[in-house]
């Protein structure tokens, strides 16, 4: 059941596992966000800012926004009974539109009490809708996890070459940023590990199957985009291959693809489906198409390895 405490903006918060409660402190937008927070038309009287349409929500969070002139603000979730929100907190960024700053509203909510999946939230001013958003709720299978702990590193966020350490915080039932990292592992360098390939749809079916060998990989990436991987494949006799391609960093996710040539006549194209790098380990998996003296094959590949301490 959804619950709230009191009807006044300053009502004392009650922390419990099964609640939706009002937040009696100021929720403000910075000056740099003021343009995004406020509508572009002067006639607008309010906005539901959190959650945004299409957002993913988890843990304990806040439904918030602003309204110029209402006696009460309520939040309706999936057509259920509207829940009063704390209203009248300071929002200096609304002064130009509303002629006053005591326009903020907020409602503390434990998203875990809702079922996983999409939910429709409506913001009501004196019973009239002025904001709506559909948010997808993701839960960990309990309303409130206790005595849990954990950390994880997220590389190349909030920008390439940087990183963060995220830590589980029980009171928020979510991860928070504990530490900013000024440096993250570089892809460039020498790695020692395997090349594993699964060949299929070969023009000569006798070549279909699994193949692999140890290798030494020398990798160079320039401009965070141009990737060159030189591999010394330790077969008998040994041979070498060069993979050239374009590296793409989307958020914290790597991907790459391009062409390759080997000094034994093998050549083709490659594209990663997974690309992971850490302080000591590197792993690229993906798909390739190659030819060698008239033989053609498709392949699933894994290349990677470890580097010295």
């Amino acid at each position: 059941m959804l619950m709230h405490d009191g009807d006044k903006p300053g009502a004392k918060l009650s922390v419990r596992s099964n609640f939706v409660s009002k937040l009696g402190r100021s929720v403000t937008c910075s000056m740099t966000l003021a343009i995004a927070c406020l509508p572009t038309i002067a006639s607008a009287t309010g906005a539901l800012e959190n959650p945004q349409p299409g957002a993913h929500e988890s843990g304990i969070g806040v439904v918030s926004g602003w309204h110029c002139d209402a006696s009460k603000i309520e939040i309706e979730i999936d057509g259920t009974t509207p829940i009063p929100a704390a209203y009248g907190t300071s929002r200096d960024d609304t002064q130009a539109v509303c002629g006053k700053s005591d326009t903020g509203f907020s409602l503390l909510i434990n998203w875990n009490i809702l079922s996983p999946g999409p939910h429709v939230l409506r913001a009501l001013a004196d019973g009239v809708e002025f904001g709506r958003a559909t948010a997808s709720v993701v839960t960990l299978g309990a309303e409130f996890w206790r005595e849990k702990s954990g950390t994880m590193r997220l590389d190349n966020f909030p920008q390439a070459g940087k990183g963060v350490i995220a830590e589980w915080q029980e009171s928020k039932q979510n991860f928070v940023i504990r530490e900013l990292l000024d440096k993250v592992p570089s892809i460039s360098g020498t790695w020692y590990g395997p090349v594993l390939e699964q060949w299929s749809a070969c023009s000569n079916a006798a070549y279909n199957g699994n193949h692999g060998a140890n290798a030494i990989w020398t990798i160079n990436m320039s401009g965070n985009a141009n990737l060159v991987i030189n591999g010394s494949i330790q077969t008998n006799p040994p041979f070498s291959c060069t993979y050239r391609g374009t590296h793409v960093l989307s958020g914290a996710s790597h991907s790459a693809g391009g062409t390759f040539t080997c000094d034994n006549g093998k050549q083709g194209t490659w594209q990663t489906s997974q690309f992971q790098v850490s302080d000591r380990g590197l792993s690229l998996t993906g798909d390739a198409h190659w030819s060698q003296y008239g033989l053609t094959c498709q392949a699933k590949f894994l290349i990677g390895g470890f580097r010295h301490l």
Side-chain angles (χ1 to χ4, degrees):
M1 181 175 69
L2 301 179
M3 305 178 65
H4 62 90
D5 295 324
D7 293 323
K8 297 181 180 180
K12 184 178 180 181
L13 296 180
S14 176
V15 179
R16 48 191 157 180
S17 64
N18 189 16
F19 68 90
V20 173
S21 175
K22 293 189 293 185
L23 182 63
R25 62 177 180 270
S26 173
V27 180
T28 64
C29 288
S30 68
M31 292 308 294
T32 57
L33 291 177
I35 294 176
C37 292
L38 294 176
T40 57
I41 53 175
S43 61
T45 56
L48 174 63
E49 296 170 334
N50 294 293
Q52 286 289 298
H56 289 81
E57 300 291 345
S58 63
I60 295 172
V62 175
V63 178
S64 64
W66 59 273
H67 194 278
C68 288
D69 188 22
S71 59
K72 66 177 179 179
I73 299 293
E74 297 171 303
I75 304 299
E76 177 195 275
I77 302 175
D78 296 332
T80 58
T81 302
I83 308 162
Y87 176 51
T89 52
S90 178
R91 285 289 301 265
D92 291 341
D93 57 315
T94 66
Q95 181 72 42
V97 171
C98 299
K100 60 180 183 179
S101 61
D102 56 342
T103 60
F105 68 84
S106 58
L107 178 72
L108 193 64
I109 180 171
N110 183 354
W111 295 104
N112 293 329
I113 67 176
L114 300 177
S115 61
H119 294 272
V120 178
L121 288 83
R122 299 172 65 225
L124 310 174
D126 300 324
V128 178
E129 179 181 325
F130 67 93
R132 176 190 293 245
T134 298
S136 292
V137 171
V138 179
T139 75
L140 298 178
E143 290 185 6
F144 198 95
W145 284 103
R146 299 186 185 276
E147 299 180 354
K148 303 294 182 182
S149 63
T151 60
M152 64 175 295
R153 190 177 76 185
L154 184 63
D155 292 338
N156 296 298
F157 182 87
Q159 64 191 75
K162 304 290 186 180
V164 296
I165 300 294
E167 181 178 59
W168 176 259
Q169 192 169 100
E170 182 176 294
S171 62
K172 290 184 172 67
Q173 291 291 288
N174 223 324
F175 284 88
V176 299
I177 295 174
R178 187 188 75 182
E179 182 182 353
L180 176 65
L181 304 176
D182 290 329
K183 185 178 180 181
V184 296
S186 171
I187 297 170
S188 298
T190 301
W191 305 81
Y192 301 85
V195 52
L196 303 175
E197 295 183 348
Q198 184 181 68
W199 300 350
S200 62
C202 292
S203 55
N204 183 339
Y207 287 88
N208 292 335
N210 296 325
H211 305 263
N214 289 321
I216 301 173
W217 306 100
T218 303
I219 300 179
N220 179 65
M221 186 166 67
S222 59
N224 206 39
N226 300 313
L227 185 64
V228 179
I229 304 173
N230 291 306
S232 177
I233 316 301
Q234 307 299 295
T235 56
N236 188 16
F239 65 97
S240 62
C241 294
T242 298
Y243 297 76
R244 299 181 184 275
T246 301
H247 170 263
V248 176
L249 185 63
S250 178
S253 299
H254 300 270
S255 63
T259 61
F260 70 93
T261 58
C262 304
D263 62 9
N264 64 358
K266 187 177 177 181
Q267 60 183 343
T269 60
W270 62 282
Q271 177 66 52
T272 62
S273 55
Q274 289 187 325
F275 191 145
Q276 298 175 325
V277 60
S278 66
D279 291 318
R280 296 287 171 247
L282 175 75
S283 175
L284 284 73
T285 60
D287 298 282
H289 181 84
W290 59 266
S291 63
Q292 184 181 29
Y293 303 127
L295 175 68
T296 62
C297 283
Q298 296 177 8
K300 299 286 186 181
F301 70 84
L302 182 152
I303 64 176
F306 300 90
R307 55 185 163 195
H308 284 296
L309 298 177

